[in-house]
Amino acid sequence: MATKNLTEKSRATAIEATAKSGEFEYGVNYSISAGKLLRLQCTVNRVKKVDDREDRIYSGMMTLENTGSLTMSFPVNVEPAPHVAFLQTIIAEVKAEIQA
């Protein structure tokens, strides 16, 4: 039998989800381990219907680390406040689901 070089320290579950609010779609990726939220990343896109298709226009990104650090990046023409507020509802929903 071959020698093992790796010793597993932890194992996490990755979840991918979407949420919609008005004309915006939020692509959410988060990981949990041992009942704790490790990281949550949210990409914001404005969805516009053009003829028979949907165009997605990048409108920002927000990341929450397990340390409580929230980083965000938005184009200069996008007001971040409503997206940060919606992110707080997403975070609360994720945390409630973890506790369930």
Side-chain angles (χ1 to χ4, degrees):
M1 177 174 256
T3 303
K4 276 182 90 173
N5 294 309
L6 296 175
T7 301
E8 187 173 306
K9 294 173 113 180
S10 66
R11 189 174 292 239
T13 301
I15 297 100
E16 183 178 333
T18 59
K20 288 190 176 195
S21 179
E23 63 181 346
F24 292 95
E25 182 177 272
Y26 298 82
V28 181
N29 295 294
Y30 62 96
S31 58
I32 57 175
S33 178
K36 293 185 178 181
L37 179 61
L38 300 178
R39 185 171 201 254
L40 184 143
Q41 185 174 26
C42 181
T43 303
V44 184
N45 288 297
R46 192 167 112 218
V47 180
K48 290 180 77 177
K49 291 202 181 246
V50 178
D51 298 325
D52 292 338
R53 71 180 198 280
E54 289 184 342
D55 282 348
R56 283 175 169 60
I57 301 157
Y58 174 78
S59 298
M61 175 181 282
M62 301 170 282
T63 303
L64 174 70
E65 299 290 341
N66 66 346
T67 60
S69 173
L70 177 63
T71 57
M72 58 187 93
S73 174
F74 289 93
V76 293
N77 63 339
V78 174
E79 172 58 43
H83 303 297
V84 173
F86 193 68
L87 178 68
Q88 296 306 316
T89 65
I90 291 171
I91 292 168
E93 187 175 325
V94 167
K95 286 183 175 180
E97 188 171 316
I98 291 170
Q99 300 303 318

